[in-house]
Amino acid sequence: MLYVKPRERAMSIDRLLLIAGQGKIPQLIYHAAQKQGIQVVVVGFRFLPCDPALNPQFVLDLFSFISVIRIMQEMNVHHICLSGKIPRSYLFHQDKMGKEVIQFIQALSGLPDKAVLEAVFTELGNKKDLRLVSPMEFLGDCLTPPGTLTSRFPDQPEWDDIFFGIPIARSLADQEIGQTVVLKRH
């Protein structure tokens, strides 16, 4: 995957193509990029409502690698950020995805969501002079800060629970089973 490091971003991104899925994250990215002086070109989809405040410049009937690349060339944009939710079930609808996207996704059948998303990033990243930018590059103010978030620091038994639970939670997330582990001491 190709990601632009934060230090490089301010100097190298003048325009960003924002592929906007559902939810508030595309709007957060839009505003953060604008605050950094980046011109944002928003692409939405007829079949997927995005935040109306984004007012997409392009609204596509289908998600298509060809359409995205055409827009990037037309707007002279070399950086792209995919954000928001696009339900996995849409990936196999011929009325929502371009033929080349469906064939590409079918070749990845059985892979977890994370692997499919990474493959899409890689596929787009291999096209022309295109660089993928992680949404995380713009969401720093929205992320949980490091450190203790409660009024007190965990005691040793709580640290033991934390260290026991973290690998289990990571494994569950990687297997797309869940993201939370609750431990009960007897």
Side-chain angles (χ1 to χ4, degrees), residues 3 13 15-21 25-26 29-30 33 40-43 63 68 72 77-84 121 124 130-139:
Y3 288 116
I13 297 179
R15 288 191 186 130
L16 176 72
L17 187 75
L18 177 62
I19 305 290
I25 292 176
I29 291 169
Y30 177 83
V40 183
V41 177
V42 180
V43 174
F63 179 76
V68 170
M72 293 185 78
V77 177
H78 298 284
H79 295 87
I80 183 172
C81 182
L82 306 171
S83 70
F121 277 11
L124 281 171
L130 186 136
R131 293 190 187 150
L132 290 160
V133 181
S134 168
M136 303 304 282
E137 297 293 330
F138 299 102
L139 297 174

PDB file of all heavy atoms in Angstrom, residues 3 13 15-21 25-26 29-30 33 40-43 63 68 72 77-84 121 124 130-139:
ATOM      1  N   TYR A   3       1.142   5.034   1.111  1.00  0.00           N
ATOM      2  CA  TYR A   3       0.575   6.076   1.946  1.00  0.00           C
ATOM      3  C   TYR A   3       1.525   7.259   1.964  1.00  0.00           C
ATOM      4  O   TYR A   3       2.736   7.096   1.927  1.00  0.00           O
ATOM      5  CB  TYR A   3       0.353   5.600   3.388  1.00  0.00           C
ATOM      6  CG  TYR A   3      -0.784   4.647   3.515  1.00  0.00           C
ATOM      7  CD1 TYR A   3      -0.571   3.345   3.922  1.00  0.00           C
ATOM      8  CD2 TYR A   3      -2.074   5.043   3.207  1.00  0.00           C
ATOM      9  CE1 TYR A   3      -1.619   2.460   4.034  1.00  0.00           C
ATOM     10  CE2 TYR A   3      -3.120   4.167   3.317  1.00  0.00           C
ATOM     11  CZ  TYR A   3      -2.900   2.873   3.736  1.00  0.00           C
ATOM     12  OH  TYR A   3      -3.939   2.011   3.834  1.00  0.00           O
ATOM     13  N   ILE A  13       0.710  17.433  -1.503  1.00  0.00           N
ATOM     14  CA  ILE A  13      -0.693  17.293  -1.895  1.00  0.00           C
ATOM     15  C   ILE A  13      -1.297  18.674  -2.089  1.00  0.00           C
ATOM     16  O   ILE A  13      -1.392  19.457  -1.152  1.00  0.00           O
ATOM     17  CB  ILE A  13      -1.520  16.521  -0.843  1.00  0.00           C
ATOM     18  CG1 ILE A  13      -1.008  15.103  -0.687  1.00  0.00           C
ATOM     19  CG2 ILE A  13      -2.991  16.497  -1.240  1.00  0.00           C
ATOM     20  CD1 ILE A  13      -1.753  14.294   0.347  1.00  0.00           C
ATOM     21  N   ARG A  15      -4.143  18.709  -4.391  1.00  0.00           N
ATOM     22  CA  ARG A  15      -5.526  18.267  -4.648  1.00  0.00           C
ATOM     23  C   ARG A  15      -5.674  16.829  -4.178  1.00  0.00           C
ATOM     24  O   ARG A  15      -4.767  16.018  -4.323  1.00  0.00           O
ATOM     25  CB  ARG A  15      -5.841  18.313  -6.137  1.00  0.00           C
ATOM     26  CG  ARG A  15      -5.983  19.685  -6.680  1.00  0.00           C
ATOM     27  CD  ARG A  15      -6.566  19.628  -8.081  1.00  0.00           C
ATOM     28  NE  ARG A  15      -6.563  20.952  -8.625  1.00  0.00           N
ATOM     29  CZ  ARG A  15      -6.079  21.262  -9.802  1.00  0.00           C
ATOM     30  NH1 ARG A  15      -5.575  20.324 -10.573  1.00  0.00           N
ATOM     31  NH2 ARG A  15      -6.112  22.494 -10.228  1.00  0.00           N
ATOM     32  N   LEU A  16      -6.860  16.528  -3.645  1.00  0.00           N
ATOM     33  CA  LEU A  16      -7.158  15.196  -3.140  1.00  0.00           C
ATOM     34  C   LEU A  16      -8.503  14.754  -3.690  1.00  0.00           C
ATOM     35  O   LEU A  16      -9.473  15.508  -3.624  1.00  0.00           O
ATOM     36  CB  LEU A  16      -7.216  15.213  -1.602  1.00  0.00           C
ATOM     37  CG  LEU A  16      -7.608  13.910  -0.917  1.00  0.00           C
ATOM     38  CD1 LEU A  16      -6.475  12.887  -1.018  1.00  0.00           C
ATOM     39  CD2 LEU A  16      -7.961  14.172   0.550  1.00  0.00           C
ATOM     40  N   LEU A  17      -8.544  13.552  -4.242  1.00  0.00           N
ATOM     41  CA  LEU A  17      -9.814  12.963  -4.658  1.00  0.00           C
ATOM     42  C   LEU A  17     -10.337  12.159  -3.480  1.00  0.00           C
ATOM     43  O   LEU A  17      -9.673  11.225  -3.012  1.00  0.00           O
ATOM     44  CB  LEU A  17      -9.634  12.050  -5.873  1.00  0.00           C
ATOM     45  CG  LEU A  17     -10.946  11.535  -6.465  1.00  0.00           C
ATOM     46  CD1 LEU A  17     -11.639  12.650  -7.245  1.00  0.00           C
ATOM     47  CD2 LEU A  17     -10.699  10.356  -7.375  1.00  0.00           C
ATOM     48  N   LEU A  18     -11.489  12.542  -2.973  1.00  0.00           N
ATOM     49  CA  LEU A  18     -12.101  11.879  -1.823  1.00  0.00           C
ATOM     50  C   LEU A  18     -13.265  11.037  -2.312  1.00  0.00           C
ATOM     51  O   LEU A  18     -14.267  11.568  -2.786  1.00  0.00           O
ATOM     52  CB  LEU A  18     -12.576  12.928  -0.809  1.00  0.00           C
ATOM     53  CG  LEU A  18     -13.306  12.415   0.418  1.00  0.00           C
ATOM     54  CD1 LEU A  18     -12.406  11.504   1.251  1.00  0.00           C
ATOM     55  CD2 LEU A  18     -13.798  13.590   1.261  1.00  0.00           C
ATOM     56  N   ILE A  19     -13.108   9.710  -2.227  1.00  0.00           N
ATOM     57  CA  ILE A  19     -14.196   8.794  -2.564  1.00  0.00           C
ATOM     58  C   ILE A  19     -15.025   8.650  -1.293  1.00  0.00           C
ATOM     59  O   ILE A  19     -14.556   8.111  -0.294  1.00  0.00           O
ATOM     60  CB  ILE A  19     -13.661   7.409  -3.000  1.00  0.00           C
ATOM     61  CG1 ILE A  19     -12.667   7.535  -4.147  1.00  0.00           C
ATOM     62  CG2 ILE A  19     -14.815   6.475  -3.335  1.00  0.00           C
ATOM     63  CD1 ILE A  19     -13.267   7.952  -5.463  1.00  0.00           C
ATOM     64  N   ALA A  20     -16.255   9.169  -1.320  1.00  0.00           N
ATOM     65  CA  ALA A  20     -17.069   9.290  -0.115  1.00  0.00           C
ATOM     66  C   ALA A  20     -18.108   8.184  -0.013  1.00  0.00           C
ATOM     67  O   ALA A  20     -19.033   8.109  -0.813  1.00  0.00           O
ATOM     68  CB  ALA A  20     -17.763  10.652  -0.098  1.00  0.00           C
ATOM     69  N   GLY A  21     -17.939   7.343   0.999  1.00  0.00           N
ATOM     70  CA  GLY A  21     -18.944   6.345   1.343  1.00  0.00           C
ATOM     71  C   GLY A  21     -19.883   6.918   2.390  1.00  0.00           C
ATOM     72  O   GLY A  21     -19.945   8.129   2.600  1.00  0.00           O
ATOM     73  N   ILE A  25     -17.174  10.078   8.454  1.00  0.00           N
ATOM     74  CA  ILE A  25     -15.732  10.140   8.228  1.00  0.00           C
ATOM     75  C   ILE A  25     -15.363  10.928   6.973  1.00  0.00           C
ATOM     76  O   ILE A  25     -14.442  11.748   7.017  1.00  0.00           O
ATOM     77  CB  ILE A  25     -15.112   8.727   8.246  1.00  0.00           C
ATOM     78  CG1 ILE A  25     -15.203   8.180   9.677  1.00  0.00           C
ATOM     79  CG2 ILE A  25     -13.663   8.749   7.769  1.00  0.00           C
ATOM     80  CD1 ILE A  25     -14.732   6.765   9.842  1.00  0.00           C
ATOM     81  N   PRO A  26     -16.059  10.745   5.837  1.00  0.00           N
ATOM     82  CA  PRO A  26     -15.694  11.569   4.673  1.00  0.00           C
ATOM     83  C   PRO A  26     -15.764  13.067   4.949  1.00  0.00           C
ATOM     84  O   PRO A  26     -14.895  13.824   4.503  1.00  0.00           O
ATOM     85  CB  PRO A  26     -16.706  11.145   3.604  1.00  0.00           C
ATOM     86  CG  PRO A  26     -17.076   9.751   3.982  1.00  0.00           C
ATOM     87  CD  PRO A  26     -17.080   9.750   5.495  1.00  0.00           C
ATOM     88  N   ILE A  29     -12.707  14.135   6.979  1.00  0.00           N
ATOM     89  CA  ILE A  29     -11.519  14.184   6.122  1.00  0.00           C
ATOM     90  C   ILE A  29     -11.568  15.417   5.231  1.00  0.00           C
ATOM     91  O   ILE A  29     -10.567  16.126   5.068  1.00  0.00           O
ATOM     92  CB  ILE A  29     -11.405  12.895   5.290  1.00  0.00           C
ATOM     93  CG1 ILE A  29     -11.077  11.717   6.216  1.00  0.00           C
ATOM     94  CG2 ILE A  29     -10.358  13.033   4.181  1.00  0.00           C
ATOM     95  CD1 ILE A  29     -11.193  10.369   5.570  1.00  0.00           C
ATOM     96  N   TYR A  30     -12.726  15.701   4.665  1.00  0.00           N
ATOM     97  CA  TYR A  30     -12.915  16.861   3.797  1.00  0.00           C
ATOM     98  C   TYR A  30     -12.491  18.145   4.511  1.00  0.00           C
ATOM     99  O   TYR A  30     -11.693  18.931   4.003  1.00  0.00           O
ATOM    100  CB  TYR A  30     -14.377  16.928   3.355  1.00  0.00           C
ATOM    101  CG  TYR A  30     -14.732  18.112   2.514  1.00  0.00           C
ATOM    102  CD1 TYR A  30     -14.499  18.109   1.142  1.00  0.00           C
ATOM    103  CD2 TYR A  30     -15.323  19.239   3.079  1.00  0.00           C
ATOM    104  CE1 TYR A  30     -14.829  19.200   0.357  1.00  0.00           C
ATOM    105  CE2 TYR A  30     -15.660  20.340   2.305  1.00  0.00           C
ATOM    106  CZ  TYR A  30     -15.414  20.310   0.943  1.00  0.00           C
ATOM    107  OH  TYR A  30     -15.740  21.387   0.168  1.00  0.00           O
ATOM    108  N   ALA A  33      -8.674  18.240   5.409  1.00  0.00           N
ATOM    109  CA  ALA A  33      -7.846  18.504   4.223  1.00  0.00           C
ATOM    110  C   ALA A  33      -7.949  19.978   3.826  1.00  0.00           C
ATOM    111  O   ALA A  33      -6.942  20.611   3.497  1.00  0.00           O
ATOM    112  CB  ALA A  33      -8.269  17.599   3.073  1.00  0.00           C
ATOM    113  N   VAL A  40     -10.145  19.727  -2.338  1.00  0.00           N
ATOM    114  CA  VAL A  40     -10.742  18.396  -2.280  1.00  0.00           C
ATOM    115  C   VAL A  40     -11.794  18.242  -3.376  1.00  0.00           C
ATOM    116  O   VAL A  40     -12.707  19.063  -3.488  1.00  0.00           O
ATOM    117  CB  VAL A  40     -11.378  18.127  -0.900  1.00  0.00           C
ATOM    118  CG1 VAL A  40     -11.931  16.707  -0.829  1.00  0.00           C
ATOM    119  CG2 VAL A  40     -10.366  18.366   0.219  1.00  0.00           C
ATOM    120  N   VAL A  41     -11.635  17.208  -4.178  1.00  0.00           N
ATOM    121  CA  VAL A  41     -12.609  16.842  -5.203  1.00  0.00           C
ATOM    122  C   VAL A  41     -13.353  15.625  -4.662  1.00  0.00           C
ATOM    123  O   VAL A  41     -12.747  14.585  -4.395  1.00  0.00           O
ATOM    124  CB  VAL A  41     -11.921  16.495  -6.544  1.00  0.00           C
ATOM    125  CG1 VAL A  41     -12.941  16.053  -7.571  1.00  0.00           C
ATOM    126  CG2 VAL A  41     -11.088  17.673  -7.037  1.00  0.00           C
ATOM    127  N   VAL A  42     -14.671  15.765  -4.464  1.00  0.00           N
ATOM    128  CA  VAL A  42     -15.457  14.705  -3.832  1.00  0.00           C
ATOM    129  C   VAL A  42     -16.209  13.902  -4.889  1.00  0.00           C
ATOM    130  O   VAL A  42     -16.849  14.461  -5.780  1.00  0.00           O
ATOM    131  CB  VAL A  42     -16.462  15.291  -2.818  1.00  0.00           C
ATOM    132  CG1 VAL A  42     -17.279  14.187  -2.160  1.00  0.00           C
ATOM    133  CG2 VAL A  42     -15.738  16.119  -1.762  1.00  0.00           C
ATOM    134  N   VAL A  43     -16.113  12.569  -4.746  1.00  0.00           N
ATOM    135  CA  VAL A  43     -16.852  11.649  -5.603  1.00  0.00           C
ATOM    136  C   VAL A  43     -17.824  10.875  -4.719  1.00  0.00           C
ATOM    137  O   VAL A  43     -17.427  10.285  -3.715  1.00  0.00           O
ATOM    138  CB  VAL A  43     -15.905  10.653  -6.325  1.00  0.00           C
ATOM    139  CG1 VAL A  43     -16.699   9.615  -7.092  1.00  0.00           C
ATOM    140  CG2 VAL A  43     -14.956  11.392  -7.244  1.00  0.00           C
ATOM    141  N   PHE A  63     -19.286   2.113  -9.062  1.00  0.00           N
ATOM    142  CA  PHE A  63     -17.893   2.264  -8.645  1.00  0.00           C
ATOM    143  C   PHE A  63     -17.066   1.534  -9.687  1.00  0.00           C
ATOM    144  O   PHE A  63     -17.220   0.339  -9.908  1.00  0.00           O
ATOM    145  CB  PHE A  63     -17.634   1.676  -7.261  1.00  0.00           C
ATOM    146  CG  PHE A  63     -16.191   1.812  -6.853  1.00  0.00           C
ATOM    147  CD1 PHE A  63     -15.697   3.033  -6.438  1.00  0.00           C
ATOM    148  CD2 PHE A  63     -15.327   0.742  -6.924  1.00  0.00           C
ATOM    149  CE1 PHE A  63     -14.363   3.188  -6.080  1.00  0.00           C
ATOM    150  CE2 PHE A  63     -13.994   0.873  -6.572  1.00  0.00           C
ATOM    151  CZ  PHE A  63     -13.509   2.098  -6.153  1.00  0.00           C
ATOM    152  N   VAL A  68     -12.931   6.340 -11.854  1.00  0.00           N
ATOM    153  CA  VAL A  68     -12.126   7.061 -10.866  1.00  0.00           C
ATOM    154  C   VAL A  68     -10.861   7.605 -11.520  1.00  0.00           C
ATOM    155  O   VAL A  68     -10.498   8.777 -11.336  1.00  0.00           O
ATOM    156  CB  VAL A  68     -11.793   6.144  -9.667  1.00  0.00           C
ATOM    157  CG1 VAL A  68     -10.756   6.786  -8.761  1.00  0.00           C
ATOM    158  CG2 VAL A  68     -13.061   5.825  -8.878  1.00  0.00           C
ATOM    159  N   MET A  72      -9.686  11.522 -12.046  1.00  0.00           N
ATOM    160  CA  MET A  72      -8.392  11.989 -11.564  1.00  0.00           C
ATOM    161  C   MET A  72      -7.600  12.658 -12.679  1.00  0.00           C
ATOM    162  O   MET A  72      -6.972  13.693 -12.460  1.00  0.00           O
ATOM    163  CB  MET A  72      -7.604  10.830 -10.948  1.00  0.00           C
ATOM    164  CG  MET A  72      -8.257  10.320  -9.665  1.00  0.00           C
ATOM    165  SD  MET A  72      -7.310   9.075  -8.818  1.00  0.00           S
ATOM    166  CE  MET A  72      -6.078  10.110  -8.020  1.00  0.00           C
ATOM    167  N   VAL A  77      -5.590  15.296 -10.505  1.00  0.00           N
ATOM    168  CA  VAL A  77      -5.427  14.899  -9.111  1.00  0.00           C
ATOM    169  C   VAL A  77      -4.569  13.639  -9.072  1.00  0.00           C
ATOM    170  O   VAL A  77      -4.783  12.714  -9.861  1.00  0.00           O
ATOM    171  CB  VAL A  77      -6.799  14.612  -8.456  1.00  0.00           C
ATOM    172  CG1 VAL A  77      -6.633  14.131  -7.028  1.00  0.00           C
ATOM    173  CG2 VAL A  77      -7.693  15.831  -8.499  1.00  0.00           C
ATOM    174  N   HIS A  78      -3.602  13.612  -8.153  1.00  0.00           N
ATOM    175  CA  HIS A  78      -2.718  12.446  -8.054  1.00  0.00           C
ATOM    176  C   HIS A  78      -2.813  11.738  -6.705  1.00  0.00           C
ATOM    177  O   HIS A  78      -2.145  10.736  -6.496  1.00  0.00           O
ATOM    178  CB  HIS A  78      -1.269  12.867  -8.304  1.00  0.00           C
ATOM    179  CG  HIS A  78      -1.073  13.436  -9.672  1.00  0.00           C
ATOM    180  ND1 HIS A  78      -1.013  12.655 -10.803  1.00  0.00           N
ATOM    181  CD2 HIS A  78      -0.967  14.716 -10.091  1.00  0.00           C
ATOM    182  CE1 HIS A  78      -0.859  13.424 -11.859  1.00  0.00           C
ATOM    183  NE2 HIS A  78      -0.835  14.690 -11.459  1.00  0.00           N
ATOM    184  N   HIS A  79      -3.632  12.248  -5.794  1.00  0.00           N
ATOM    185  CA  HIS A  79      -3.788  11.646  -4.469  1.00  0.00           C
ATOM    186  C   HIS A  79      -5.259  11.287  -4.269  1.00  0.00           C
ATOM    187  O   HIS A  79      -6.138  12.100  -4.575  1.00  0.00           O
ATOM    188  CB  HIS A  79      -3.320  12.601  -3.373  1.00  0.00           C
ATOM    189  CG  HIS A  79      -1.866  12.889  -3.445  1.00  0.00           C
ATOM    190  ND1 HIS A  79      -1.336  13.900  -4.213  1.00  0.00           N
ATOM    191  CD2 HIS A  79      -0.815  12.275  -2.857  1.00  0.00           C
ATOM    192  CE1 HIS A  79      -0.034  13.898  -4.099  1.00  0.00           C
ATOM    193  NE2 HIS A  79       0.316  12.921  -3.275  1.00  0.00           N
ATOM    194  N   ILE A  80      -5.489  10.105  -3.726  1.00  0.00           N
ATOM    195  CA  ILE A  80      -6.852   9.623  -3.527  1.00  0.00           C
ATOM    196  C   ILE A  80      -7.003   9.090  -2.113  1.00  0.00           C
ATOM    197  O   ILE A  80      -6.084   8.474  -1.565  1.00  0.00           O
ATOM    198  CB  ILE A  80      -7.216   8.538  -4.570  1.00  0.00           C
ATOM    199  CG1 ILE A  80      -8.666   8.086  -4.428  1.00  0.00           C
ATOM    200  CG2 ILE A  80      -6.270   7.356  -4.480  1.00  0.00           C
ATOM    201  CD1 ILE A  80      -9.122   7.166  -5.552  1.00  0.00           C
ATOM    202  N   CYS A  81      -8.162   9.337  -1.529  1.00  0.00           N
ATOM    203  CA  CYS A  81      -8.479   8.832  -0.202  1.00  0.00           C
ATOM    204  C   CYS A  81      -9.856   8.169  -0.270  1.00  0.00           C
ATOM    205  O   CYS A  81     -10.829   8.812  -0.678  1.00  0.00           O
ATOM    206  CB  CYS A  81      -8.479   9.977   0.812  1.00  0.00           C
ATOM    207  SG  CYS A  81      -8.802   9.447   2.499  1.00  0.00           S
ATOM    208  N   LEU A  82      -9.917   6.908   0.097  1.00  0.00           N
ATOM    209  CA  LEU A  82     -11.184   6.177   0.162  1.00  0.00           C
ATOM    210  C   LEU A  82     -11.666   6.247   1.599  1.00  0.00           C
ATOM    211  O   LEU A  82     -10.922   5.887   2.517  1.00  0.00           O
ATOM    212  CB  LEU A  82     -10.986   4.717  -0.247  1.00  0.00           C
ATOM    213  CG  LEU A  82     -10.323   4.466  -1.594  1.00  0.00           C
ATOM    214  CD1 LEU A  82      -9.996   2.998  -1.773  1.00  0.00           C
ATOM    215  CD2 LEU A  82     -11.213   4.943  -2.716  1.00  0.00           C
ATOM    216  N   SER A  83     -12.903   6.702   1.799  1.00  0.00           N
ATOM    217  CA  SER A  83     -13.371   6.836   3.175  1.00  0.00           C
ATOM    218  C   SER A  83     -14.864   6.589   3.276  1.00  0.00           C
ATOM    219  O   SER A  83     -15.601   6.737   2.304  1.00  0.00           O
ATOM    220  CB  SER A  83     -13.043   8.226   3.714  1.00  0.00           C
ATOM    221  OG  SER A  83     -13.833   9.186   3.070  1.00  0.00           O
ATOM    222  N   GLY A  84     -15.295   6.242   4.467  1.00  0.00           N
ATOM    223  CA  GLY A  84     -16.694   5.960   4.702  1.00  0.00           C
ATOM    224  C   GLY A  84     -16.998   4.512   4.376  1.00  0.00           C
ATOM    225  O   GLY A  84     -16.169   3.766   3.872  1.00  0.00           O
ATOM    226  N   PHE A 121      -6.766  -1.041  -2.708  1.00  0.00           N
ATOM    227  CA  PHE A 121      -5.773   0.039  -2.583  1.00  0.00           C
ATOM    228  C   PHE A 121      -4.588  -0.220  -3.509  1.00  0.00           C
ATOM    229  O   PHE A 121      -4.119   0.682  -4.188  1.00  0.00           O
ATOM    230  CB  PHE A 121      -5.267   0.140  -1.148  1.00  0.00           C
ATOM    231  CG  PHE A 121      -6.154   0.930  -0.216  1.00  0.00           C
ATOM    232  CD1 PHE A 121      -7.434   1.312  -0.573  1.00  0.00           C
ATOM    233  CD2 PHE A 121      -5.700   1.282   1.026  1.00  0.00           C
ATOM    234  CE1 PHE A 121      -8.237   2.034   0.284  1.00  0.00           C
ATOM    235  CE2 PHE A 121      -6.490   2.013   1.908  1.00  0.00           C
ATOM    236  CZ  PHE A 121      -7.754   2.388   1.525  1.00  0.00           C
ATOM    237  N   LEU A 124      -5.605   0.281  -7.231  1.00  0.00           N
ATOM    238  CA  LEU A 124      -5.691   1.704  -7.572  1.00  0.00           C
ATOM    239  C   LEU A 124      -4.309   2.352  -7.531  1.00  0.00           C
ATOM    240  O   LEU A 124      -3.987   3.185  -8.368  1.00  0.00           O
ATOM    241  CB  LEU A 124      -6.647   2.434  -6.625  1.00  0.00           C
ATOM    242  CG  LEU A 124      -8.130   2.264  -6.915  1.00  0.00           C
ATOM    243  CD1 LEU A 124      -8.969   2.836  -5.796  1.00  0.00           C
ATOM    244  CD2 LEU A 124      -8.505   2.893  -8.237  1.00  0.00           C
ATOM    245  N   LEU A 130      -0.667   7.653  -9.327  1.00  0.00           N
ATOM    246  CA  LEU A 130      -1.683   7.786  -8.295  1.00  0.00           C
ATOM    247  C   LEU A 130      -1.119   7.356  -6.948  1.00  0.00           C
ATOM    248  O   LEU A 130      -0.467   6.318  -6.856  1.00  0.00           O
ATOM    249  CB  LEU A 130      -2.857   6.883  -8.696  1.00  0.00           C
ATOM    250  CG  LEU A 130      -4.078   6.952  -7.847  1.00  0.00           C
ATOM    251  CD1 LEU A 130      -5.288   7.002  -8.754  1.00  0.00           C
ATOM    252  CD2 LEU A 130      -4.156   5.723  -6.984  1.00  0.00           C
ATOM    253  N   ARG A 131      -1.356   8.160  -5.934  1.00  0.00           N
ATOM    254  CA  ARG A 131      -0.904   7.817  -4.586  1.00  0.00           C
ATOM    255  C   ARG A 131      -2.103   7.755  -3.659  1.00  0.00           C
ATOM    256  O   ARG A 131      -2.911   8.682  -3.621  1.00  0.00           O
ATOM    257  CB  ARG A 131       0.091   8.849  -4.071  1.00  0.00           C
ATOM    258  CG  ARG A 131       1.377   8.823  -4.834  1.00  0.00           C
ATOM    259  CD  ARG A 131       2.405   9.664  -4.171  1.00  0.00           C
ATOM    260  NE  ARG A 131       3.574   9.735  -5.044  1.00  0.00           N
ATOM    261  CZ  ARG A 131       4.381  10.745  -5.101  1.00  0.00           C
ATOM    262  NH1 ARG A 131       4.171  11.798  -4.355  1.00  0.00           N
ATOM    263  NH2 ARG A 131       5.413  10.735  -5.900  1.00  0.00           N
ATOM    264  N   LEU A 132      -2.187   6.683  -2.916  1.00  0.00           N
ATOM    265  CA  LEU A 132      -3.260   6.524  -1.951  1.00  0.00           C
ATOM    266  C   LEU A 132      -2.859   7.159  -0.632  1.00  0.00           C
ATOM    267  O   LEU A 132      -1.727   7.019  -0.185  1.00  0.00           O
ATOM    268  CB  LEU A 132      -3.556   5.043  -1.745  1.00  0.00           C
ATOM    269  CG  LEU A 132      -4.210   4.415  -2.966  1.00  0.00           C
ATOM    270  CD1 LEU A 132      -4.041   2.924  -2.946  1.00  0.00           C
ATOM    271  CD2 LEU A 132      -5.672   4.782  -3.021  1.00  0.00           C
ATOM    272  N   VAL A 133      -3.807   7.863  -0.033  1.00  0.00           N
ATOM    273  CA  VAL A 133      -3.579   8.524   1.243  1.00  0.00           C
ATOM    274  C   VAL A 133      -4.534   7.883   2.241  1.00  0.00           C
ATOM    275  O   VAL A 133      -5.743   7.810   2.001  1.00  0.00           O
ATOM    276  CB  VAL A 133      -3.845  10.042   1.139  1.00  0.00           C
ATOM    277  CG1 VAL A 133      -3.584  10.725   2.465  1.00  0.00           C
ATOM    278  CG2 VAL A 133      -3.002  10.662   0.036  1.00  0.00           C
ATOM    279  N   SER A 134      -4.003   7.427   3.339  1.00  0.00           N
ATOM    280  CA  SER A 134      -4.821   6.814   4.375  1.00  0.00           C
ATOM    281  C   SER A 134      -5.742   7.859   5.006  1.00  0.00           C
ATOM    282  O   SER A 134      -5.310   8.981   5.280  1.00  0.00           O
ATOM    283  CB  SER A 134      -3.922   6.217   5.451  1.00  0.00           C
ATOM    284  OG  SER A 134      -4.689   5.858   6.585  1.00  0.00           O
ATOM    285  N   PRO A 135      -6.998   7.495   5.279  1.00  0.00           N
ATOM    286  CA  PRO A 135      -7.882   8.423   6.000  1.00  0.00           C
ATOM    287  C   PRO A 135      -7.286   8.854   7.345  1.00  0.00           C
ATOM    288  O   PRO A 135      -7.534   9.960   7.812  1.00  0.00           O
ATOM    289  CB  PRO A 135      -9.159   7.610   6.221  1.00  0.00           C
ATOM    290  CG  PRO A 135      -9.134   6.562   5.168  1.00  0.00           C
ATOM    291  CD  PRO A 135      -7.688   6.263   4.907  1.00  0.00           C
ATOM    292  N   MET A 136      -6.468   8.001   7.940  1.00  0.00           N
ATOM    293  CA  MET A 136      -5.858   8.317   9.230  1.00  0.00           C
ATOM    294  C   MET A 136      -4.981   9.568   9.160  1.00  0.00           C
ATOM    295  O   MET A 136      -4.766  10.227  10.168  1.00  0.00           O
ATOM    296  CB  MET A 136      -5.033   7.132   9.736  1.00  0.00           C
ATOM    297  CG  MET A 136      -5.835   5.843   9.873  1.00  0.00           C
ATOM    298  SD  MET A 136      -7.267   6.009  10.928  1.00  0.00           S
ATOM    299  CE  MET A 136      -6.467   5.934  12.494  1.00  0.00           C
ATOM    300  N   GLU A 137      -4.488   9.892   7.969  1.00  0.00           N
ATOM    301  CA  GLU A 137      -3.659  11.090   7.806  1.00  0.00           C
ATOM    302  C   GLU A 137      -4.432  12.364   8.136  1.00  0.00           C
ATOM    303  O   GLU A 137      -3.831  13.385   8.450  1.00  0.00           O
ATOM    304  CB  GLU A 137      -3.122  11.185   6.379  1.00  0.00           C
ATOM    305  CG  GLU A 137      -2.206  10.057   5.975  1.00  0.00           C
ATOM    306  CD  GLU A 137      -0.893  10.058   6.722  1.00  0.00           C
ATOM    307  OE1 GLU A 137      -0.414  11.140   7.113  1.00  0.00           O
ATOM    308  OE2 GLU A 137      -0.345   8.971   6.928  1.00  0.00           O
ATOM    309  N   PHE A 138      -5.755  12.305   8.058  1.00  0.00           N
ATOM    310  CA  PHE A 138      -6.581  13.486   8.277  1.00  0.00           C
ATOM    311  C   PHE A 138      -7.412  13.401   9.563  1.00  0.00           C
ATOM    312  O   PHE A 138      -8.133  14.331   9.885  1.00  0.00           O
ATOM    313  CB  PHE A 138      -7.529  13.691   7.095  1.00  0.00           C
ATOM    314  CG  PHE A 138      -6.807  13.906   5.798  1.00  0.00           C
ATOM    315  CD1 PHE A 138      -6.688  12.876   4.874  1.00  0.00           C
ATOM    316  CD2 PHE A 138      -6.214  15.123   5.506  1.00  0.00           C
ATOM    317  CE1 PHE A 138      -6.015  13.069   3.679  1.00  0.00           C
ATOM    318  CE2 PHE A 138      -5.534  15.321   4.324  1.00  0.00           C
ATOM    319  CZ  PHE A 138      -5.433  14.293   3.404  1.00  0.00           C
ATOM    320  N   LEU A 139      -7.341  12.299  10.265  1.00  0.00           N
ATOM    321  CA  LEU A 139      -8.227  12.084  11.406  1.00  0.00           C
ATOM    322  C   LEU A 139      -7.529  12.192  12.755  1.00  0.00           C
ATOM    323  O   LEU A 139      -8.077  11.771  13.769  1.00  0.00           O
ATOM    324  CB  LEU A 139      -8.911  10.714  11.280  1.00  0.00           C
ATOM    325  CG  LEU A 139      -9.819  10.552  10.075  1.00  0.00           C
ATOM    326  CD1 LEU A 139     -10.333   9.130   9.971  1.00  0.00           C
ATOM    327  CD2 LEU A 139     -10.981  11.535  10.121  1.00  0.00           C
TER     328      LEU A 139
END
